[in-house]
């Protein structure tokens, strides 16, 4: 321990008020960064030795001492508490305790400001790659279900009103596309995260002859930040990540909402397995869709972190301000939440949900979602579409008032509406046919969907 009552300098005479020490400390959460802090420090020490700011032996001792702290931490033997303001001080303190005065050389030509910016980038870089893997697992689950349900029909909705029937696979593959964009977004952000701020110093650089490119290379950064002020002040990479994270959970939340609706008695399109549902403490008949409900709920949390990070940054003058210590919990919680949601929804889709094809095909046969096809039928025989559309409107109105469906009309009645109707109208309005004919590129026609499944599978390998 230093002789000062504080880790930072002899300028201070009295110790911090205990409540203020607690208020000020980030060790409770930035301990999450410890391995990145150690790795960053090892690279810094190697660089110091390479350019001759410290000797090769000193560099070696620092690297080894840091490695030992990593092992101690992994084995539960190093548990910094409130005595250490943050993880950076904790590691430096332990290093000096364990290897002696050489440890005090580690912080040459460095500040906690460029150090913490480096740690956060190293942390996020790894987490982005992990979330990309999670997204692929989610996509694989979507494809597996889609493959099973190319020929299963499901009502398609707009305004939550029956619109046109769909191949269930087509519906699921819509989520595949969203996940694909989520994956790409992370991939793009990755390259802006992967830039090295180390060597920016407190804000202005350093008079020591450091080699920032060497450090960056050791840490496998793609580039070195060009402006030291920006290097310690920039958190827009974190905002971008939180935005990407928000979009991921927003997509999961929409799917969750559908699963919740589908599992209701009113829809009964799916059943959820006992392994992923829970009961009520009072109503014995209940089986609740907790997983999608929680995903929908946790989505709000991630959105909140994005808002918090933006608000945190908006009024900050350059360069580092202590406000920025608040960036970490947002990030950590967003990462944990997104990963947990992806995992839970992947399990739900892979092994916790059963679509009910019979109920689904009954559903698509009991509505007017084939009305567009009647208009298309006449339009393909030369009737102007708008005229056909108006006529079908009348037809639907008649059916509704009689409590019947289009398929219940006799050919005679069809003809009384328009002489161009022939026997093949019955086939044209059958739900499977309604789906099959929508073979335009990207449409729900079975042939299209078969190709979409193949294309999606190819993207995953
Ligand atoms: N614990 C601080 C944080 O997370 C580290 C940087 C402190 N820098 C400073 N100048 N006080 O932001």
């Amino acid at each position: 321990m230093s002789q000062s009552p504080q880790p930072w300098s002899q300028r201070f005479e009295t110790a911090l008020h205990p409540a203020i020490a607690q208020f000020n400390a980030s060790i409770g959460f930035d301990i999450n960064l410890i391995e990145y802090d150690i790795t960053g420090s090892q690279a810094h020490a190697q660089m110091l030795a390479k350019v001759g700011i410290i000797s090769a032996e000193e560099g070696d001792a620092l690297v080894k001492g840091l490695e030992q702290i990593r092992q101690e931490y992994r084995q539960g033997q190093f548990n910094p508490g409130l005595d250490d303001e943050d993880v950076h001080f904790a590691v430096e303190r332990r290093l000096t305790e364990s290897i002696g005065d050489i440890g005090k050389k580690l912080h040459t030509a460095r500040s906690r400001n460029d150090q913490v910016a480096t740690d956060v980038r190293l942390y996020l870089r790894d987490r982005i790659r992990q979330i990309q893997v999670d997204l692929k697992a989610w996509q694989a689950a979507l494809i597996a279900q889609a493959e099973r349900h190319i020929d299963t029909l499901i009502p398609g909705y707009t305004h939550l009103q029956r619109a046109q029937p769909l191949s269930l696979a087509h519906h699921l593959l819509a989520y595949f596309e969203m996940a694909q964009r989520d994956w790409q977004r992370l991939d793009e952000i990755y390259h802006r995260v992967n830039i090295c701020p180390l060597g920016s110093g407190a804000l202005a650089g350093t008079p020591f002859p450091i080699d920032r490119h060497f450090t960056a290379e050791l840490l496998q950064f793609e580039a070195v930040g060009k402006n030291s002020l920006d290097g310690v002040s920039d958190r827009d990479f974190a905002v971008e990540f939180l935005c990407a994270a928000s979009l991921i959970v927003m997509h999961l939340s929409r799917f969750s909402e559908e699963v919740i609706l589908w599992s209701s008695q009113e829809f009964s399109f799916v059943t959820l397995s006992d392994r992923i549902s829970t009961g009520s403490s009072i109503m014995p008949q209940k089986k609740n869709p907790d997983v999608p409900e929680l995903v929908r709920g946790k989505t709000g949390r991630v959105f909140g972190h994005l808002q918090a990070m933006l608000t945190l940054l908006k009024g900050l003058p350059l360069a580092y301000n202590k406000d920025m210590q608040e960036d970490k919990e947002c990030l950590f919680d967003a990462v944990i939440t997104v990963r947990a949601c992806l995992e839970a929804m992947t399990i739900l889709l892979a092994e916790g949900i059963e679509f009910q094809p019979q109920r689904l095909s009954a559903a698509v046969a009991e509505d007017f979602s084939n009305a567009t096809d009647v208009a298309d039928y006449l339009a393909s025989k030369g009737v102007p579409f708008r005229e056909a559309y108006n006529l079908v409107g009348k037809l639907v109105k008649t059916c509704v008032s009689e409590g019947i469906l289009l398929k219940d009309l006799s050919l005679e009645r069809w003809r009384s509406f328009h002489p161009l109707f022939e026997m093949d109208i019955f086939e044209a309005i059958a739900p499977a046919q309604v789906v099959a004919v929508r073979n335009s590129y990207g449409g729900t026609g079975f042939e299209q969907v078969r190709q979409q499944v193949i294309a999606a599978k190819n993207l995953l390998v």
Side-chain angles (χ1 to χ4, degrees):
M1 269 290 212
S2 66
Q3 267 116 50
S4 155
Q6 311 296 351
W8 47 92
S9 91
Q10 305 280 336
R11 171 180 166 171
F12 293 82
E13 277 171 13
T14 60
L16 266 182
H17 186 294
I20 298 302
Q22 186 150 16
F23 185 68
N24 192 47
S26 52
I27 189 70
F29 48 87
D30 65 16
I31 188 71
N32 270 329
L33 295 174
I34 187 165
E35 297 235 8
Y36 300 104
D37 197 69
I38 289 170
T39 304
S41 289
Q42 286 175 320
H44 180 67
Q46 281 172 270
M47 184 279 292
L48 291 177
K50 180 191 171 244
V51 301
I53 296 172
I54 60 175
S55 70
E57 296 73 44
E58 287 171 332
D60 231 36
L62 291 174
V63 171
K64 288 203 179 105
L66 286 161
E67 198 51 35
Q68 189 199 322
I69 299 174
R70 190 196 301 278
Q71 297 314 323
E72 287 173 4
Y73 176 74
R74 285 187 184 171
Q75 285 153 22
Q77 292 157 1
F78 178 49
N79 300 300
L82 265 192
D83 287 351
D84 297 298
E85 179 181 320
D86 59 26
V87 69
H88 322 294
F89 274 137
V91 170
E92 200 182 327
R93 190 239 329 141
R94 177 75 197 115
L95 184 64
T96 304
E97 253 171 39
S98 98
I99 68 169
D101 279 353
I102 297 173
K104 295 181 181 167
K105 291 202 170 182
L106 175 64
H107 211 52
T108 316
R110 188 178 71 168
S111 151
R112 275 187 302 157
N113 298 347
D114 57 345
Q115 190 179 353
V116 73
T118 306
D119 292 3
V120 173
R121 283 174 184 269
L122 289 171
Y123 160 87
L124 197 54
R125 184 175 85 170
D126 274 6
R127 295 307 180 277
I128 285 176
R129 288 301 188 225
Q130 289 168 344
I131 297 172
Q132 284 184 297
V133 173
D134 299 339
L135 276 167
K136 291 281 169 203
W138 165 237
Q139 287 182 302
L142 285 163
I143 294 179
Q145 283 287 10
E147 228 176 350
R148 251 172 258 155
H149 291 294
I150 294 175
D151 298 312
T152 305
L153 304 183
I154 185 168
Y157 297 82
T158 65
H159 314 267
L160 200 56
Q161 306 287 326
R162 296 276 179 92
Q164 289 166 350
L166 300 169
S167 153
L168 173 54
H170 191 58
H171 193 118
L172 294 168
L173 288 178
Y175 286 99
F176 179 93
E177 292 299 318
M178 299 173 218
Q180 187 60 19
R181 288 194 296 279
D182 290 335
W183 189 93
Q184 288 166 343
R185 230 181 316 272
L186 287 176
D187 219 42
E188 288 155 14
I189 291 168
Y190 183 90
H191 301 292
R192 280 187 290 278
V193 172
N194 200 17
I195 291 174
C196 188
L198 199 58
S200 297
L203 75 167
T206 168
F208 290 97
I210 59 171
D211 182 346
R212 292 191 60 199
H213 291 87
F214 181 69
T215 323
E217 210 174 289
L218 287 178
L219 294 171
Q220 287 162 9
F221 279 113
E222 289 166 42
V224 174
K226 291 198 182 113
N227 180 301
S228 61
L229 269 173
D230 183 46
V232 293
S233 308
D234 171 29
R235 295 293 183 275
D236 36 319
F237 68 91
V239 173
E240 277 193 86
F241 170 76
L242 289 171
C243 185
S246 295
L247 289 170
I248 294 172
V249 287
M250 181 273 283
H251 289 147
L252 292 180
S253 185
R254 291 185 79 167
F255 186 69
S256 297
E257 172 64 18
E258 298 201 309
V259 171
I260 294 162
L261 285 174
W262 292 345
S263 67
S264 70
Q265 225 171 323
E266 284 71 12
F267 279 77
S268 299
F269 289 176
V270 300
T271 53
L272 300 178
S273 80
D274 290 358
R275 257 161 75 84
I276 60 132
S277 328
T278 61
S280 150
S281 61
I282 171 171
M283 297 166 282
Q285 84 284 11
K286 296 267 321 257
K287 189 153 117 181
N288 297 327
D290 293 42
V291 169
E293 287 176 305
L294 270 174
V295 169
R296 194 175 56 183
K298 285 175 188 288
T299 296
R301 237 163 97 169
V302 179
F303 290 5
H305 294 319
L306 170 61
Q307 194 59 43
M309 187 76 81
L310 283 168
T311 311
L312 162 67
L313 293 172
K314 87 172 267 287
L316 294 187
L318 299 184
Y320 178 85
N321 301 268
K322 187 77 170 194
D323 315 45
M324 292 161 90
Q325 180 164 287
E326 290 288 309
D327 62 356
K328 284 164 217 55
E329 284 162 294
C330 297
L331 270 185
F332 297 163
D333 188 67
V335 164
I336 289 170
T337 307
V338 170
R339 297 200 68 195
C341 289
L342 276 167
E343 187 188 22
M345 286 308 277
T346 302
I347 293 170
L348 177 141
L349 190 60
E351 46 187 291
I353 194 168
E354 219 181 300
F355 290 94
Q356 302 296 313
Q358 284 190 338
R359 166 69 194 128
L360 285 162
S361 47
V364 293
E366 69 194 17
D367 60 27
F368 289 95
S369 59
N370 48 6
T372 318
D373 296 81
V374 180
D376 288 346
Y377 178 95
L378 289 176
S380 69
K381 295 195 173 201
V383 180
F385 181 80
R386 188 54 64 209
E387 208 179 288
Y389 166 93
N390 285 331
L391 184 116
V392 179
K394 272 190 234 152
L395 250 163
V396 170
K397 196 171 158 196
T398 307
C399 289
V400 169
S401 71
E402 292 178 25
I404 58 170
L405 295 166
L406 289 167
K407 65 176 180 194
D408 302 323
L409 291 167
S410 66
L411 185 58
E412 261 186 342
R413 292 204 66 193
W414 281 105
R415 283 181 182 278
S416 70
F417 279 95
H418 203 289
L420 280 174
F421 283 119
E422 315 259 358
M423 207 51 201
D424 59 356
I425 183 62
F426 293 103
E427 200 202 325
I429 61 167
Q433 182 65 10
V434 168
V435 171
V437 295
R438 289 194 159 64
N439 237 337
S440 52
Y441 182 83
T444 197
F446 301 116
E447 269 325 301
Q448 275 298 316
V449 173
R450 250 177 265 287
Q451 284 169 31
Q452 288 164 21
V453 169
I454 293 168
K457 273 177 131 176
N458 285 339
L459 266 181
L460 273 202
V461 288

